[in-house]
């Protein structure tokens, strides 16, 4: 059972899953046996809005950490998503082609983006945020967003 | 004996400052002004929110087609809360997914993609009005 850190601001509640690591831009990474599943944080999907289309790098694409791994088009914005780890894309969520909204509905489970096979998990993880650090980072970003309203 | 003509109510999103809201309204205007003026009527969401008698009577006596700009689905919910029956509810996002080449941008004035998307949406609404008015898919 995944546990979450939660933060409520105004009418929004943002969840941070505690069983994975995070790129500061809001892409999560969950490693298992050298394979890293990635997706959008709840904060990023809520801030971006309803997703119309998600384009993910093709299977076989080799990426360095920070390279664009996906692009999502929402009712508000187009968002380029960085790969949180280096490696090769070995799987893309097949649901995204026809049901990109699954990212909004289930950002930490069914709405995953891709699986990247990596040989450098330990090194890449050192550049990511653990859940409490991302939670603090996300809180600060959310509060900044509210100030702009 | 008189026969009352069904005039399908079209209720678009009222989201101000939202591109998808503008698309929904442009589509609704095209339907009631140009495509199906005889068999449709526009009811503004704001009048339903106010409980204005004419608007509430229109939705309670005629089938409604709602066009929502986002997942809050205000148009659909408000028709239901006003005692109306939603024959079809459309979401601009779903229509855009079917017409990706028409990327909408702009708010007060839609770009060309937005205008084309509004037209595609209007055509879908018009086709649904025909179905509903013929009674094939209503009640």
């Amino acid at each position: 059972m995944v546990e979450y850190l939660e933060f409520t601001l105004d009418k929004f509640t943002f969840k941070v899953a505690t069983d994975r690591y995070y790129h500061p831009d809001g892409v999560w990474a969950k490693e298992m046996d050298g394979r890293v599943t990635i997706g959008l944080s709840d904060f990023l999907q809520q801030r971006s809005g309803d997703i119309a289309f998600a384009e993910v790098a093709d299977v076989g694409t080799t990426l360095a950490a920070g390279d664009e791994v996906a692009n999502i088009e929402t009712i508000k914005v187009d968002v380029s998503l960085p790969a949180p780890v280096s490696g090769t894309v070995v799987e893309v969520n097949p649901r995204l082609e026809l049901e990109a909204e699954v990212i909004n509905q289930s950002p930490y489970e069914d709405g995953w983006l891709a699986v990247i096979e990596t040989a450098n998990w330990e090194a890449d993880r050192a550049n990511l945020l653990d859940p409490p650090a991302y939670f603090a980072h996300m809180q600060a970003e959310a509060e900044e967003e509210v100030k702009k309203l | 004996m008189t026969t009352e003509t069904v005039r399908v109510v079209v209720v678009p999103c009222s989201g101000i400052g939202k591109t998808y809201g503008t698309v929904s309204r442009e589509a609704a205007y095209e339907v009631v002004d140009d495509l199906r003026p005889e068999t449709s009527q526009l009811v503004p969401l704001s009048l339903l929110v106010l409980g204005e008698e004419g608007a509430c009577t229109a939705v309670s006596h005629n089938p409604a087609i709602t066009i929502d700009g986002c997942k809050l689905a205000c148009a659909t919910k408000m028709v239901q809360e006003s005692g109306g029956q939603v024959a079809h509810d459309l979401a601009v996002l779903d229509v855009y997914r079917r017409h990706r080449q028409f990327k909408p941008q702009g708010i007060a004035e839609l770009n060309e993609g937005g205008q084309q998307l509004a037209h595609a949406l209007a055509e879908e609404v018009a086709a649904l009005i025909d179905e509903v008015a013929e009674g094939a898919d209503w009640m």
Side-chain angles (χ1 to χ4, degrees):
Chain A
M1 190 76 173
V2 182
E3 294 187 346
Y4 298 95
L5 302 172
E6 286 191 17
F7 169 60
T8 298
L9 184 66
D10 196 10
K11 60 186 176 184
F12 302 101
T13 296
F14 305 110
K15 293 182 174 184
V16 173
T18 57
D19 62 346
R20 60 202 79 192
Y21 289 80
Y22 294 83
H23 185 283
D25 287 358
V27 180
W28 55 259
K30 185 176 179 183
E31 192 266 351
M32 186 177 285
D33 301 327
R35 288 181 166 221
V36 180
T37 305
I38 66 170
L40 274 69
S41 72
D42 182 40
F43 173 66
L44 179 55
Q45 69 83 12
Q46 287 198 57
R47 186 172 67 174
S48 301
D50 294 347
I51 295 172
F53 302 103
E55 290 185 340
V56 183
D58 293 334
V59 168
T61 305
T62 300
L63 300 162
D67 286 353
E68 180 180 281
V69 65
N71 188 279
I72 58 167
E73 183 179 336
T74 80
I75 63 172
K76 297 181 192 170
V77 289
D78 286 358
V79 184
S80 173
L81 302 173
V85 297
S86 58
T88 302
V89 177
V90 293
E91 195 175 347
V92 173
N93 187 344
R95 291 183 65 179
L96 301 182
E97 190 169 339
L98 295 175
E99 304 171 75
E101 64 270 27
V102 70
I103 297 172
N104 297 116
Q105 294 159 355
S106 178
Y108 291 123
E109 300 295 337
D110 297 341
W112 58 277
L113 290 177
V115 177
I116 297 175
E117 197 164 75
T118 179
N120 302 308
W121 170 243
E122 294 302 325
D124 287 334
R125 189 182 66 178
N127 294 317
L128 300 177
L129 303 174
D130 64 16
Y134 178 69
F135 185 74
H137 177 79
M138 176 270 292
Q139 259 185 313
E141 280 198 320
E143 283 164 357
E144 272 306 307
E145 292 277 326
V146 167
K147 281 182 196 169
K148 291 180 196 168
L149 298 176
Chain B
M1 182 176 165
T2 58
T3 304
E4 193 177 341
T5 305
V6 169
R7 292 188 72 196
V8 178
V9 169
V10 179
V11 184
C13 162
S14 69
I16 300 302
K18 306 287 185 188
T19 301
Y20 283 36
T22 304
V23 170
S24 76
R25 289 187 293 279
E26 291 293 330
Y29 300 147
E30 184 176 343
V31 169
V32 301
D33 288 346
D34 302 325
L35 298 180
R36 297 295 184 274
E38 306 297 326
T39 52
S40 68
Q41 58 184 315
L42 184 68
V43 169
L45 186 51
S46 53
L47 291 187
L48 293 177
V49 173
L50 282 172
E52 196 267 340
E53 190 179 344
C56 293
T57 300
V59 297
S60 61
H61 286 76
N62 296 279
I65 294 177
T66 56
I67 311 173
D68 285 303
C70 74
K71 63 187 173 190
L72 291 176
C74 302
T76 299
K77 289 176 185 166
M78 211 52 235
V79 167
Q80 291 166 338
E81 287 187 18
S82 302
Q85 294 218 33
V86 177
H88 294 280
D89 55 326
L90 296 174
V92 178
L93 184 61
D94 291 336
V95 178
Y96 177 41
R97 286 182 176 129
R98 293 194 284 275
H99 300 278
R100 190 176 184 179
Q101 69 275 29
F102 304 148
K103 183 179 172 68
Q105 288 181 321
I107 295 170
E109 285 188 29
L110 292 172
N111 67 344
E112 192 178 341
Q115 291 170 22
Q116 289 174 307
L117 183 63
H119 178 67
L121 172 56
E123 296 276 7
E124 288 194 22
V125 173
L128 292 172
I129 286 171
D130 293 344
E131 280 180 27
V132 172
E134 288 167 13
D137 197 20
W138 163 244
M139 298 294 276

